[in-house]
Amino acid sequence: MLNICFVCTEVAPYCKTGGLGDVTEGLPEELAKMGHTVCTVAPRFDQYKDAWDTDILESVKYGKETTKVRYFHSHKKGVDRIWVDHHVYLSKTPLVNKKLYGPKASVDYIDNAERFAMLSQAALAVPLLVPLGPDGSKGPMGEDTIFVCNDWHTALLPLYLKEYYQSYGTFLNAKTVMLLHNIAFQGRFPMSKFDVLNLPEKYLPDLSFNTQFAPPPLDEKTTEPITATEPMLMLNWLKAGFLNCDQAVTVSPNFAKEVTSNPAGGVELDAIAKAVALTGITNGTKVETWNPQKDKYIPANYDAQTMSEGKKLCKATLQQECGLEVDPEIPLFGFIGRLENQKGADVIMAAMPLLEKLNCQIIVLGTGSPKLEEQLESIGEKHSFAKGVARFDPELAHLITAGADYCLMPSRFEPCGLNQLYAMMYGTIPVVAPVGGLVDTVPPLFGFLMDKIPMPTKPGVKVSEELLQQGVEAMIVGIKKALAEYGTPQFEKMRLACMANDVSWKKPAAQYVDVFEKLMVSKV
Ligand code: ADP
């Protein structure tokens, strides 16, 4: 049996802004069900009710300052949830399940490099120090641990492992997996930040990177990425993570292909991802959370036999709650997600006048870019067939997933996407862009494909009006296909096929175990 330690910034339902949190909730639980010892290590962003204070402290570096972190511990569904307590995590997010990365959307905290470098250091001590099990009676995980580093925030862990432990003879059998959930965020920092990482100069080549565009904005003054005419030298944590891990994995095979195929797909990291043979394993879903038979947020529970009636009731409630005309005959599209260009949220807004002519309804739930949030809040006032809700609302997300006829995902890129998987479980047919994991998870009988939503050839560049209109047309292609089948026997068949599809974590978890086992064997 394996010892697996996920290091991450999000764990649903404790702290979540997107799919990363869902993965670090569901995948560890499935691995634990298989008998493996599994823990997650994440910042204590909030005072989680079920977490106890272990009284265990560890010295780490926050920039140049030596400081102490404290470990809190929850144990749920066979998984140990270890929380790294330090005021730089908790003070920034007082009792709110957001603002994990910055004071507002698209704006980073100025000390993110220090905060997340500290997380990796704190996580590395967990298998040595923190006893596991519901009462801590299992003892610590030990040295033969597989560290799964999730996204750029934890990409320096393999470097700290080598430098702070393996070079002193500790963790010699430990392995690292770099698990990529989103290539758009790479941990790009000015070179001057190297100093605060407390790593020797020999890692500088792995961390340095010639880029055409600047990292995510560093503070509230510079909210736009800079596109350079000449390459700029910057730090790139993800690059260093790829080069120093034992295995690089991402969340779907098609996204792995896209990331390794060209600079736009890999957001300039394509060659590195290719060199480390990035492979893809499609995400699963936590079937206990997303189950129309048991869902406590929807007015009628249903299975495949009772789907037609159940969905009808859910749709009526959804239409009513959103102030739309209550009519079972009008096809209803739902969108849930971050209001960012990645998700095509701008395309949906721009498509409103065209959608209005198609005799359908649309509900959009999301948070993100302030401009898109503002537009979203006003769509209902301008269009009686549409409702926009700009808040993070898991309850409404469940009702939309059950009550909508179609799940709309006009993503410009999509590493895996989870909403289409949830939708299928509820007999809600995905209408998706043909990108990333959407291609792997929505074969023809299970949904409708749009044309590709074009994106600027250079990352960081604004979407032009022309490109936006092309996006609208591409999305409408999929919407028209869906509307043409609405209410037909084929539509019924698709809904049932979706519901019968196994999108649980079972298969993906077995694939991860394969990867982990090969790694552990290779060491011996
Ligand atoms: P990403 O990780 O790129 O944001 P995913 O599709 O992988 O996208 O996962 C998004 C997750 O976040 C899903 O569980 C989705 O339901 C949830 N989500 C996103 N926005 C909202 C919102 N405004 N309210 C409730 N849930 C949301």
Side-chain angles (χ1 to χ4, degrees):
M1 286 290 132
L2 300 164
N3 295 320
I4 311 158
C5 173
F6 286 80
V7 186
C8 46
T9 49
E10 300 189 22
V11 179
Y14 299 91
C15 44
K16 161 177 161 177
T17 69
L20 166 61
D22 290 341
V23 173
T24 55
E25 178 190 22
L27 177 57
E29 285 179 8
E30 191 66 35
L31 291 165
K33 259 193 242 163
M34 295 165 83
H36 303 290
T37 302
V38 194
C39 73
T40 57
V41 183
R44 184 172 174 254
F45 283 124
D46 205 343
Q47 295 172 11
Y48 307 126
K49 276 200 192 84
D50 62 351
W52 64 91
D53 184 350
T54 64
D55 263 341
I56 299 169
L57 298 169
E58 171 69 350
S59 279
V60 288
K61 287 279 200 184
Y62 168 79
K64 286 286 151 209
E65 181 190 322
T66 301
T67 183
K68 283 215 159 42
V69 291
R70 193 178 189 94
Y71 299 99
F72 281 65
H73 187 174
S74 326
H75 184 91
K76 219 168 148 183
K77 303 227 160 111
V79 180
D80 292 277
R81 306 289 184 181
I82 310 299
W83 309 105
V84 178
D85 179 57
H86 192 277
H87 68 86
V88 297
Y89 303 132
L90 199 58
S91 67
K92 291 192 158 118
T93 51
L95 303 171
V96 260
N97 196 10
K98 53 183 187 177
K99 299 184 181 170
L100 309 185
Y101 309 111
K104 57 183 186 193
S106 311
V107 177
D108 290 349
Y109 291 123
I110 202 80
D111 63 343
N112 272 353
E114 290 86 339
R115 294 167 83 220
F116 296 131
M118 186 171 80
L119 174 64
S120 285
Q121 295 166 44
L124 278 163
V126 167
L128 303 177
L129 292 182
V130 183
L132 304 182
D135 49 7
S137 60
K138 260 179 91 174
M141 191 170 259
E143 289 191 39
D144 292 356
T145 288
I146 297 157
F147 289 98
V148 183
C149 310
N150 292 273
D151 276 348
W152 73 266
H153 324 98
T154 57
L156 296 188
L157 185 142
L159 286 69
Y160 291 122
L161 174 68
K162 286 181 185 176
E163 195 52 36
Y164 290 14
Y165 291 93
Q166 290 180 329
S167 60
Y168 296 97
T170 307
F171 277 132
L172 293 180
N173 283 330
K175 290 288 185 177
T176 51
V177 173
M178 186 72 236
L179 175 50
L180 175 73
H181 301 261
N182 197 331
I183 191 78
F185 307 106
Q186 300 180 357
R188 295 177 174 212
F189 295 97
M191 294 303 289
S192 57
K193 279 277 177 187
F194 182 71
D195 254 8
V196 305
L197 305 182
N198 301 295
L199 283 164
E201 295 254 323
K202 69 175 180 198
Y203 291 106
L204 207 45
D206 287 356
L207 268 160
S208 331
F209 183 69
N210 262 322
T211 177
Q212 293 284 349
F213 80 103
L218 288 177
D219 60 49
E220 293 188 33
K221 287 186 204 101
T222 54
T223 53
E224 287 299 321
I226 305 161
T227 305
T229 47
E230 296 292 323
M232 299 180 282
L233 196 63
M234 304 201 79
L235 295 175
N236 188 316
W237 288 25
L238 189 58
K239 178 192 166 201
F242 276 155
L243 291 177
N244 286 277
C245 69
D246 295 304
Q247 176 79 50
V249 181
T250 189
V251 290
S252 72
N254 193 47
F255 187 62
K257 213 155 68 186
E258 289 172 356
V259 166
T260 49
S261 61
N262 58 56
V267 192
E268 301 186 285
L269 268 191
D270 49 315
I272 302 286
K274 196 168 179 181
V276 299
L278 177 70
T279 54
I281 298 177
T282 308
N283 281 339
T285 65
K286 191 172 159 177
V287 289
E288 293 89 343
T289 312
W290 295 92
N291 180 351
Q293 291 178 56
K294 295 190 184 144
D295 194 320
K296 56 181 190 281
Y297 298 132
I298 61 178
N301 291 115
Y302 58 90
D303 58 15
Q305 273 75 47
T306 53
M307 180 259 291
S308 266
E309 280 315 299
K311 274 187 82 66
K312 212 177 266 173
L313 245 159
C314 294
K315 181 171 173 177
T317 306
L318 178 62
Q319 286 172 320
Q320 193 169 24
E321 279 193 14
C322 288
L324 300 176
E325 186 184 342
V326 179
D327 181 347
E329 303 302 326
I330 303 179
L332 173 55
F333 291 85
F335 169 95
I336 305 159
R338 288 181 288 117
L339 298 179
E340 304 294 342
N341 289 353
Q342 175 198 336
K343 300 284 176 188
D346 55 335
V347 175
I348 297 179
M349 305 302 177
M352 286 299 161
L354 271 179
L355 288 173
E356 187 145 39
K357 294 186 191 136
L358 293 179
N359 189 29
C360 63
Q361 293 175 334
I362 180 162
I363 297 170
V364 178
L365 169 66
T367 56
S369 132
K371 186 177 142 211
L372 288 171
E373 278 194 11
E374 206 174 295
Q375 278 182 26
L376 182 62
E377 290 284 13
S378 65
I379 60 170
E381 292 152 28
K382 289 190 196 138
H383 307 278
S384 59
F385 77 103
K387 171 75 180 172
V389 183
R391 59 170 190 263
F392 197 89
D393 186 342
E395 233 166 277
L396 183 57
H398 280 248
L399 184 59
I400 294 173
T401 302
D405 298 299
Y406 298 107
C407 161
L408 192 63
M409 295 181 73
S411 307
R412 288 193 171 83
F413 69 95
E414 192 60 79
C416 179
L418 292 173
N419 287 319
Q420 82 281 12
L421 302 179
Y422 303 147
M424 286 194 251
M425 293 171 77
Y426 286 71
T428 303
I429 301 174
V431 182
V432 301
V435 286
L438 298 175
V439 171
D440 292 313
T441 54
V442 187
L445 190 60
F446 296 82
F448 298 98
L449 292 185
M450 311 167 180
D451 287 348
K452 266 198 171 156
I453 312 292
M455 58 179 172
T457 44
K458 278 190 178 171
V461 174
K462 272 196 173 150
V463 177
S464 68
E465 191 51 39
E466 193 190 345
L467 221 50
L468 184 62
Q469 282 316 315
Q470 287 171 15
V472 170
E473 280 160 32
M475 183 181 78
I476 295 288
V477 168
I479 288 183
K480 282 190 172 162
K481 283 186 205 167
L483 291 176
E485 293 292 355
Y486 183 70
T488 64
Q490 177 63 10
F491 174 79
E492 265 329 283
K493 223 166 127 184
M494 286 176 89
R495 300 213 283 191
L496 290 171
C498 284
M499 287 188 82
N501 192 17
D502 178 9
V503 293
S504 73
W505 273 111
K506 245 195 189 126
K507 205 170 124 205
Q511 290 175 301
Y512 274 100
V513 168
D514 256 11
V515 168
F516 298 155
E517 279 175 346
K518 281 196 188 110
L519 280 181
M520 291 317 270
V521 169
S522 73
K523 191 82 186 181
V524 176

PDB file of all heavy atoms in Angstrom, residues 174-195:
ATOM      1  N   ALA A 174      11.458   8.896  -1.292  1.00  0.00           N
ATOM      2  CA  ALA A 174      10.260   9.700  -1.590  1.00  0.00           C
ATOM      3  C   ALA A 174      10.238  10.050  -3.075  1.00  0.00           C
ATOM      4  O   ALA A 174      11.277  10.112  -3.732  1.00  0.00           O
ATOM      5  CB  ALA A 174      10.270  10.971  -0.755  1.00  0.00           C
ATOM      6  N   LYS A 175       9.028  10.266  -3.595  1.00  0.00           N
ATOM      7  CA  LYS A 175       8.867  10.625  -5.015  1.00  0.00           C
ATOM      8  C   LYS A 175       7.967  11.854  -5.122  1.00  0.00           C
ATOM      9  O   LYS A 175       7.141  12.099  -4.232  1.00  0.00           O
ATOM     10  CB  LYS A 175       8.221   9.465  -5.772  1.00  0.00           C
ATOM     11  CG  LYS A 175       9.124   8.265  -5.916  1.00  0.00           C
ATOM     12  CD  LYS A 175      10.215   8.556  -6.910  1.00  0.00           C
ATOM     13  CE  LYS A 175      11.071   7.346  -7.184  1.00  0.00           C
ATOM     14  NZ  LYS A 175      12.081   7.609  -8.206  1.00  0.00           N
ATOM     15  N   THR A 176       8.102  12.573  -6.209  1.00  0.00           N
ATOM     16  CA  THR A 176       7.249  13.752  -6.399  1.00  0.00           C
ATOM     17  C   THR A 176       6.513  13.679  -7.732  1.00  0.00           C
ATOM     18  O   THR A 176       7.089  13.313  -8.755  1.00  0.00           O
ATOM     19  CB  THR A 176       8.079  15.051  -6.364  1.00  0.00           C
ATOM     20  OG1 THR A 176       9.167  14.915  -7.273  1.00  0.00           O
ATOM     21  CG2 THR A 176       8.600  15.356  -4.988  1.00  0.00           C
ATOM     22  N   VAL A 177       5.240  14.025  -7.666  1.00  0.00           N
ATOM     23  CA  VAL A 177       4.416  14.113  -8.880  1.00  0.00           C
ATOM     24  C   VAL A 177       3.955  15.559  -8.992  1.00  0.00           C
ATOM     25  O   VAL A 177       3.441  16.129  -8.019  1.00  0.00           O
ATOM     26  CB  VAL A 177       3.191  13.172  -8.777  1.00  0.00           C
ATOM     27  CG1 VAL A 177       2.243  13.389  -9.952  1.00  0.00           C
ATOM     28  CG2 VAL A 177       3.635  11.723  -8.705  1.00  0.00           C
ATOM     29  N   MET A 178       4.178  16.158 -10.143  1.00  0.00           N
ATOM     30  CA  MET A 178       3.684  17.525 -10.372  1.00  0.00           C
ATOM     31  C   MET A 178       2.354  17.398 -11.095  1.00  0.00           C
ATOM     32  O   MET A 178       2.309  16.943 -12.238  1.00  0.00           O
ATOM     33  CB  MET A 178       4.723  18.264 -11.232  1.00  0.00           C
ATOM     34  CG  MET A 178       4.464  19.728 -11.460  1.00  0.00           C
ATOM     35  SD  MET A 178       4.743  20.742  -9.993  1.00  0.00           S
ATOM     36  CE  MET A 178       3.151  21.545  -9.832  1.00  0.00           C
ATOM     37  N   LEU A 179       1.274  17.748 -10.418  1.00  0.00           N
ATOM     38  CA  LEU A 179      -0.055  17.591 -11.007  1.00  0.00           C
ATOM     39  C   LEU A 179      -0.583  18.966 -11.446  1.00  0.00           C
ATOM     40  O   LEU A 179      -0.818  19.850 -10.618  1.00  0.00           O
ATOM     41  CB  LEU A 179      -1.008  16.918 -10.005  1.00  0.00           C
ATOM     42  CG  LEU A 179      -2.470  16.766 -10.392  1.00  0.00           C
ATOM     43  CD1 LEU A 179      -2.645  16.140 -11.773  1.00  0.00           C
ATOM     44  CD2 LEU A 179      -3.211  15.909  -9.365  1.00  0.00           C
ATOM     45  N   LEU A 180      -0.753  19.111 -12.749  1.00  0.00           N
ATOM     46  CA  LEU A 180      -1.123  20.402 -13.342  1.00  0.00           C
ATOM     47  C   LEU A 180      -2.635  20.488 -13.559  1.00  0.00           C
ATOM     48  O   LEU A 180      -3.213  19.666 -14.265  1.00  0.00           O
ATOM     49  CB  LEU A 180      -0.398  20.538 -14.692  1.00  0.00           C
ATOM     50  CG  LEU A 180      -0.739  21.757 -15.528  1.00  0.00           C
ATOM     51  CD1 LEU A 180      -0.132  23.011 -14.927  1.00  0.00           C
ATOM     52  CD2 LEU A 180      -0.241  21.585 -16.963  1.00  0.00           C
ATOM     53  N   HIS A 181      -3.249  21.511 -12.948  1.00  0.00           N
ATOM     54  CA  HIS A 181      -4.689  21.722 -13.125  1.00  0.00           C
ATOM     55  C   HIS A 181      -4.973  22.868 -14.079  1.00  0.00           C
ATOM     56  O   HIS A 181      -6.077  22.991 -14.591  1.00  0.00           O
ATOM     57  CB  HIS A 181      -5.358  22.022 -11.776  1.00  0.00           C
ATOM     58  CG  HIS A 181      -5.180  20.931 -10.776  1.00  0.00           C
ATOM     59  ND1 HIS A 181      -6.140  19.994 -10.513  1.00  0.00           N
ATOM     60  CD2 HIS A 181      -4.127  20.614  -9.988  1.00  0.00           C
ATOM     61  CE1 HIS A 181      -5.704  19.150  -9.587  1.00  0.00           C
ATOM     62  NE2 HIS A 181      -4.474  19.507  -9.262  1.00  0.00           N
ATOM     63  N   ASN A 182      -3.994  23.777 -14.223  1.00  0.00           N
ATOM     64  CA  ASN A 182      -4.216  24.928 -15.105  1.00  0.00           C
ATOM     65  C   ASN A 182      -2.874  25.500 -15.539  1.00  0.00           C
ATOM     66  O   ASN A 182      -2.083  25.918 -14.696  1.00  0.00           O
ATOM     67  CB  ASN A 182      -5.035  25.997 -14.364  1.00  0.00           C
ATOM     68  CG  ASN A 182      -5.631  26.997 -15.331  1.00  0.00           C
ATOM     69  OD1 ASN A 182      -5.070  27.248 -16.407  1.00  0.00           O
ATOM     70  ND2 ASN A 182      -6.752  27.570 -14.972  1.00  0.00           N
ATOM     71  N   ILE A 183      -2.627  25.506 -16.833  1.00  0.00           N
ATOM     72  CA  ILE A 183      -1.325  25.971 -17.337  1.00  0.00           C
ATOM     73  C   ILE A 183      -1.241  27.499 -17.374  1.00  0.00           C
ATOM     74  O   ILE A 183      -0.158  28.074 -17.482  1.00  0.00           O
ATOM     75  CB  ILE A 183      -1.060  25.374 -18.748  1.00  0.00           C
ATOM     76  CG1 ILE A 183       0.402  25.594 -19.205  1.00  0.00           C
ATOM     77  CG2 ILE A 183      -1.998  25.951 -19.787  1.00  0.00           C
ATOM     78  CD1 ILE A 183       1.389  24.679 -18.605  1.00  0.00           C
ATOM     79  N   ALA A 184      -2.384  28.168 -17.252  1.00  0.00           N
ATOM     80  CA  ALA A 184      -2.385  29.633 -17.366  1.00  0.00           C
ATOM     81  C   ALA A 184      -1.684  30.285 -16.177  1.00  0.00           C
ATOM     82  O   ALA A 184      -1.195  31.394 -16.277  1.00  0.00           O
ATOM     83  CB  ALA A 184      -3.810  30.147 -17.466  1.00  0.00           C
ATOM     84  N   PHE A 185      -1.657  29.593 -15.051  1.00  0.00           N
ATOM     85  CA  PHE A 185      -1.001  30.141 -13.859  1.00  0.00           C
ATOM     86  C   PHE A 185       0.275  29.348 -13.609  1.00  0.00           C
ATOM     87  O   PHE A 185       0.217  28.146 -13.385  1.00  0.00           O
ATOM     88  CB  PHE A 185      -1.949  30.070 -12.656  1.00  0.00           C
ATOM     89  CG  PHE A 185      -3.290  30.709 -12.938  1.00  0.00           C
ATOM     90  CD1 PHE A 185      -4.424  29.930 -13.139  1.00  0.00           C
ATOM     91  CD2 PHE A 185      -3.397  32.088 -13.028  1.00  0.00           C
ATOM     92  CE1 PHE A 185      -5.652  30.510 -13.419  1.00  0.00           C
ATOM     93  CE2 PHE A 185      -4.623  32.675 -13.313  1.00  0.00           C
ATOM     94  CZ  PHE A 185      -5.755  31.894 -13.510  1.00  0.00           C
ATOM     95  N   GLN A 186       1.413  30.018 -13.693  1.00  0.00           N
ATOM     96  CA  GLN A 186       2.686  29.286 -13.658  1.00  0.00           C
ATOM     97  C   GLN A 186       3.601  29.708 -12.513  1.00  0.00           C
ATOM     98  O   GLN A 186       4.666  29.145 -12.352  1.00  0.00           O
ATOM     99  CB  GLN A 186       3.415  29.485 -14.997  1.00  0.00           C
ATOM    100  CG  GLN A 186       2.608  28.968 -16.172  1.00  0.00           C
ATOM    101  CD  GLN A 186       3.294  29.160 -17.514  1.00  0.00           C
ATOM    102  OE1 GLN A 186       4.370  29.742 -17.589  1.00  0.00           O
ATOM    103  NE2 GLN A 186       2.657  28.659 -18.563  1.00  0.00           N
ATOM    104  N   GLY A 187       3.179  30.688 -11.726  1.00  0.00           N
ATOM    105  CA  GLY A 187       4.080  31.181 -10.688  1.00  0.00           C
ATOM    106  C   GLY A 187       5.200  31.976 -11.307  1.00  0.00           C
ATOM    107  O   GLY A 187       6.375  31.642 -11.133  1.00  0.00           O
ATOM    108  N   ARG A 188       4.836  32.995 -12.078  1.00  0.00           N
ATOM    109  CA  ARG A 188       5.848  33.855 -12.702  1.00  0.00           C
ATOM    110  C   ARG A 188       6.119  35.037 -11.789  1.00  0.00           C
ATOM    111  O   ARG A 188       5.193  35.721 -11.365  1.00  0.00           O
ATOM    112  CB  ARG A 188       5.337  34.356 -14.048  1.00  0.00           C
ATOM    113  CG  ARG A 188       5.155  33.238 -15.052  1.00  0.00           C
ATOM    114  CD  ARG A 188       4.583  33.754 -16.345  1.00  0.00           C
ATOM    115  NE  ARG A 188       4.553  32.686 -17.342  1.00  0.00           N
ATOM    116  CZ  ARG A 188       4.695  32.875 -18.634  1.00  0.00           C
ATOM    117  NH1 ARG A 188       4.849  34.089 -19.105  1.00  0.00           N
ATOM    118  NH2 ARG A 188       4.664  31.860 -19.469  1.00  0.00           N
ATOM    119  N   PHE A 189       7.394  35.251 -11.503  1.00  0.00           N
ATOM    120  CA  PHE A 189       7.784  36.348 -10.612  1.00  0.00           C
ATOM    121  C   PHE A 189       9.014  37.045 -11.185  1.00  0.00           C
ATOM    122  O   PHE A 189       9.783  36.428 -11.933  1.00  0.00           O
ATOM    123  CB  PHE A 189       8.132  35.803  -9.213  1.00  0.00           C
ATOM    124  CG  PHE A 189       6.970  35.195  -8.486  1.00  0.00           C
ATOM    125  CD1 PHE A 189       6.753  33.818  -8.496  1.00  0.00           C
ATOM    126  CD2 PHE A 189       6.071  35.997  -7.782  1.00  0.00           C
ATOM    127  CE1 PHE A 189       5.676  33.252  -7.833  1.00  0.00           C
ATOM    128  CE2 PHE A 189       4.989  35.435  -7.113  1.00  0.00           C
ATOM    129  CZ  PHE A 189       4.794  34.065  -7.141  1.00  0.00           C
ATOM    130  N   PRO A 190       9.214  38.308 -10.801  1.00  0.00           N
ATOM    131  CA  PRO A 190      10.459  38.973 -11.192  1.00  0.00           C
ATOM    132  C   PRO A 190      11.666  38.213 -10.637  1.00  0.00           C
ATOM    133  O   PRO A 190      11.569  37.582  -9.569  1.00  0.00           O
ATOM    134  CB  PRO A 190      10.352  40.350 -10.522  1.00  0.00           C
ATOM    135  CG  PRO A 190       8.969  40.470 -10.026  1.00  0.00           C
ATOM    136  CD  PRO A 190       8.345  39.132  -9.976  1.00  0.00           C
ATOM    137  N   MET A 191      12.785  38.280 -11.336  1.00  0.00           N
ATOM    138  CA  MET A 191      13.981  37.562 -10.908  1.00  0.00           C
ATOM    139  C   MET A 191      14.397  37.938  -9.487  1.00  0.00           C
ATOM    140  O   MET A 191      14.982  37.129  -8.765  1.00  0.00           O
ATOM    141  CB  MET A 191      15.150  37.851 -11.869  1.00  0.00           C
ATOM    142  CG  MET A 191      14.950  37.311 -13.269  1.00  0.00           C
ATOM    143  SD  MET A 191      14.661  35.540 -13.338  1.00  0.00           S
ATOM    144  CE  MET A 191      16.269  34.890 -12.926  1.00  0.00           C
ATOM    145  N   SER A 192      14.076  39.174  -9.104  1.00  0.00           N
ATOM    146  CA  SER A 192      14.485  39.639  -7.773  1.00  0.00           C
ATOM    147  C   SER A 192      13.867  38.801  -6.654  1.00  0.00           C
ATOM    148  O   SER A 192      14.346  38.795  -5.519  1.00  0.00           O
ATOM    149  CB  SER A 192      14.079  41.101  -7.596  1.00  0.00           C
ATOM    150  OG  SER A 192      12.684  41.216  -7.806  1.00  0.00           O
ATOM    151  N   LYS A 193      12.813  38.053  -6.962  1.00  0.00           N
ATOM    152  CA  LYS A 193      12.159  37.231  -5.931  1.00  0.00           C
ATOM    153  C   LYS A 193      12.943  35.948  -5.623  1.00  0.00           C
ATOM    154  O   LYS A 193      12.595  35.201  -4.713  1.00  0.00           O
ATOM    155  CB  LYS A 193      10.735  36.860  -6.386  1.00  0.00           C
ATOM    156  CG  LYS A 193       9.712  37.956  -6.144  1.00  0.00           C
ATOM    157  CD  LYS A 193       9.189  37.912  -4.718  1.00  0.00           C
ATOM    158  CE  LYS A 193       8.220  39.030  -4.430  1.00  0.00           C
ATOM    159  NZ  LYS A 193       7.840  39.103  -3.022  1.00  0.00           N
ATOM    160  N   PHE A 194      13.977  35.659  -6.410  1.00  0.00           N
ATOM    161  CA  PHE A 194      14.741  34.429  -6.169  1.00  0.00           C
ATOM    162  C   PHE A 194      15.279  34.394  -4.738  1.00  0.00           C
ATOM    163  O   PHE A 194      15.294  33.348  -4.087  1.00  0.00           O
ATOM    164  CB  PHE A 194      15.891  34.299  -7.181  1.00  0.00           C
ATOM    165  CG  PHE A 194      16.676  33.028  -6.992  1.00  0.00           C
ATOM    166  CD1 PHE A 194      16.127  31.792  -7.317  1.00  0.00           C
ATOM    167  CD2 PHE A 194      17.964  33.049  -6.453  1.00  0.00           C
ATOM    168  CE1 PHE A 194      16.833  30.611  -7.114  1.00  0.00           C
ATOM    169  CE2 PHE A 194      18.673  31.880  -6.240  1.00  0.00           C
ATOM    170  CZ  PHE A 194      18.112  30.650  -6.573  1.00  0.00           C
ATOM    171  N   ASP A 195      15.701  35.539  -4.288  1.00  0.00           N
ATOM    172  CA  ASP A 195      16.271  35.667  -2.946  1.00  0.00           C
ATOM    173  C   ASP A 195      15.365  35.148  -1.842  1.00  0.00           C
ATOM    174  O   ASP A 195      15.835  34.582  -0.867  1.00  0.00           O
ATOM    175  CB  ASP A 195      16.501  37.163  -2.667  1.00  0.00           C
ATOM    176  CG  ASP A 195      17.961  37.478  -2.737  1.00  0.00           C
ATOM    177  OD1 ASP A 195      18.712  36.573  -3.149  1.00  0.00           O
ATOM    178  OD2 ASP A 195      18.327  38.617  -2.395  1.00  0.00           O
TER     179      ASP A 195
END
